[in-house]
Amino acid sequence: MSARPTVLVVSPGDETYRGYCLEQVAAAYDVVLLTGVEPSWEKPFIVDHAVVDPSDPTALLTGGRALAQRHDLAGVMTWDEWHLVPTARLARVLGLSSPSVEVMRACRNKATARTLFARHGVPSAASMKARTLLEAGLATMTLGYPAVIKPAASAGSIGVIRLDRPEELPAAFAFASAGAGRSREDTAILVEEYLDGPEISVECVTHRGETTAVAVTRKHLGPAPYFDETGHTVDAADPLLAQVTPAAAAAVRALGITDGVQHVELRLVDGRPRLIEVNARIGGDRIGHLVHLATGIDLPKAAADLACGRAPDLTPTRSGAAGIRMLYPDTSGTLTARHIDQQFAAHTPWLRQVQWIREIGDHLDLPPVGDLFTARAGFYIVTGRNTAEVTERLDTAAGAITVTAKADR
């Protein structure tokens, strides 16, 4: 019998983006999985699993109960945005510590979150719900242009679009509606005030109602009017951290979160933070890995600690910077080339990883037809002493990497 606590992980995700999370949790805990497919890459990091349809609430509860009968579970957790609410429900059924279902629903639903932000005096964006094109038009008359139209309950910038003129509204509403239709929770559309300023996220850890901001992630976006994230940088000494921590912590409190890891997105408008949303999980795009490279803080382990009722260790063990850049083709079409100069890679220790996620012959679709799941060919990660050095190294590495797609006729 293992002396280590056992934690149940719901929907571990894919190895490319979330493999590091499972690996870091497994370094300190015995892990059992609830997953939609038979484990493959996960096997070295788990002691047991159950395969269920994660979109079926009854099946998820049945699988969780079965694992709880076989193991003395100390906690249950997920870093999958789409399963935050079902995981909270499962924890409640199993009698394990977790944010409540109601709190997770508030985090998932941007309209609810905006209401709570306003009630608690957290600066965010003016926002109105719109079920129809007519309601969206009326909302833009109230909020003005530019505006943002987005799904009320989605993630990954899916269905999020900016519009600058009334004639753009029908196509923008259709784009947002298509994204909203993918949600199992709320298919409503939000029309919001456009926040004009650089976008960042604050990586937070909350324990017993006290929120610690451990890092700031500076985001890089693709071409307007879409909001696809094309890269991120994390600097342990980022001067923005002290400036934005109060707003991030206030947003977490407003939503009623008392324990967990949060990825808090905001924009700096005239130098002041305005909230976009609070994601009650570790940030995507390997942001938790960047935080670890830059600061030494282990967010996946912290999330597991909190799920199991333990105080996380948030002591930084290094002070540097790290960045990731996503690899996109110039046009939608068939991927015809993807490679890196091998001599450059072999002699560049700060190039930590080059990861291909699509094969030659695969079809890539950029927005508006595609999204982050269909547009990216891969990514690469670099480290450095500070943001300036990391940015320079990202640019240098880009010159050694080729991604080419042939447009369809």
Side-chain angles (χ1 to χ4, degrees):
M1 295 290 291
S2 172
R4 305 194 312 170
T6 301
V7 63
L8 169 57
V9 173
V10 176
S11 186
D14 70 311
E15 182 179 15
T16 300
Y17 286 111
R18 291 300 195 181
Y20 79 94
C21 292
L22 189 60
E23 181 177 0
Q24 289 174 215
V25 171
Y29 289 86
D30 285 347
V31 177
V32 295
L33 287 187
L34 270 178
T35 178
V37 296
E38 193 66 31
S40 55
W41 64 269
E42 303 98 332
K43 287 182 178 179
F45 308 115
I46 65 175
V47 298
D48 198 0
H49 72 278
V51 177
V52 300
D53 179 358
S55 66
D56 182 340
T58 301
L60 198 70
L61 292 178
T62 300
R65 287 191 181 103
L67 288 171
Q69 289 176 350
R70 300 200 293 265
H71 302 275
D72 181 16
L73 298 180
V76 58
M77 63 183 296
T78 188
W79 40 77
D80 187 331
E81 175 73 20
W82 313 105
H83 293 96
L84 290 171
V85 174
T87 299
R89 187 179 297 116
L90 174 61
R92 176 184 288 177
V93 168
L94 297 180
L96 296 171
S97 174
S98 170
S100 72
V101 173
E102 294 73 23
V103 167
M104 290 297 97
R105 282 183 178 145
C107 293
R108 287 285 300 128
N109 192 298
K110 297 172 178 62
T112 303
R114 289 272 184 258
T115 300
L116 291 171
F117 292 158
R119 183 180 302 165
H120 292 272
V122 180
S124 65
S127 177
M128 299 177 68
K129 257 192 175 183
R131 294 281 180 182
T132 66
L133 178 59
L134 176 60
E135 290 180 356
L138 293 173
T140 59
M141 291 174 65
T142 300
L143 298 174
Y145 291 91
V148 175
I149 297 187
K150 66 202 300 185
S154 190
S157 299
I158 293 171
V160 185
I161 187 169
R162 168 179 164 167
L163 62 159
D164 296 296
R165 297 177 296 278
E167 55 266 31
E168 298 170 357
L169 180 58
F173 185 80
F175 178 76
S177 296
R182 297 163 65 171
S183 173
R184 297 191 296 268
E185 299 167 42
D186 190 338
T187 58
I189 301 298
L190 299 183
V191 181
E192 297 193 337
E193 165 194 13
Y194 174 68
L195 301 178
D196 190 4
E199 185 169 337
I200 65 171
S201 63
V202 189
E203 316 315 324
C204 296
V205 180
T206 302
H207 177 51
R208 295 182 179 176
E210 293 295 324
T211 297
T212 301
V214 301
V216 165
T217 303
R218 298 193 183 231
K219 298 180 175 296
H220 305 273
L221 303 180
Y226 311 106
F227 291 83
D228 282 2
E229 296 175 352
T230 59
H232 313 272
T233 56
V234 175
D235 188 332
D238 196 317
L240 278 179
L241 184 59
Q243 178 184 342
V244 300
T245 290
V252 171
R253 283 195 302 272
L255 289 167
I257 300 172
T258 58
D259 290 276
V261 173
Q262 300 86 41
H263 173 68
V264 182
E265 297 184 356
L266 52 86
R267 283 196 170 210
L268 298 174
V269 181
D270 297 326
R272 296 179 179 179
R274 300 274 296 277
L275 262 294
I276 298 174
E277 62 191 45
V278 174
N279 301 282
R281 39 97 182 152
I282 300 166
D285 285 352
R286 296 183 69 90
I287 286 173
H289 182 55
L290 299 184
V291 171
H292 193 247
L293 289 173
T295 70
I297 296 172
D298 188 334
L299 288 179
K301 181 179 180 298
D305 290 339
L306 291 163
C308 295
R310 296 179 165 189
D313 183 359
L314 304 179
T315 306
T317 58
R318 62 177 73 105
S319 182
I324 186 171
R325 186 169 293 177
M326 306 304 167
L327 293 167
Y328 293 84
D330 292 332
T331 183
S332 296
T334 301
L335 185 63
T336 57
R338 38 145 260 196
H339 61 82
I340 180 170
D341 183 318
Q342 293 299 322
Q343 185 174 5
F344 173 83
H347 295 89
T348 309
W350 47 259
L351 180 62
R352 293 301 189 98
Q353 183 179 5
V354 178
Q355 178 69 53
W356 301 111
I357 56 179
R358 305 300 292 273
E359 301 294 334
I360 299 296
D362 286 350
H363 187 84
L364 302 179
D365 275 323
L366 301 177
V369 175
D371 52 38
L372 64 90
F373 299 110
T374 65
R376 294 173 175 176
F379 61 81
Y380 61 99
I381 293 174
V382 308
T383 54
R385 291 169 294 181
N386 50 48
T387 300
E389 186 170 70
V390 162
T391 301
E392 179 184 357
R393 288 176 171 180
L394 287 167
D395 292 340
T396 298
I401 299 174
T402 300
V403 176
T404 306
K406 183 180 180 181
D408 298 328
R409 294 184 178 179

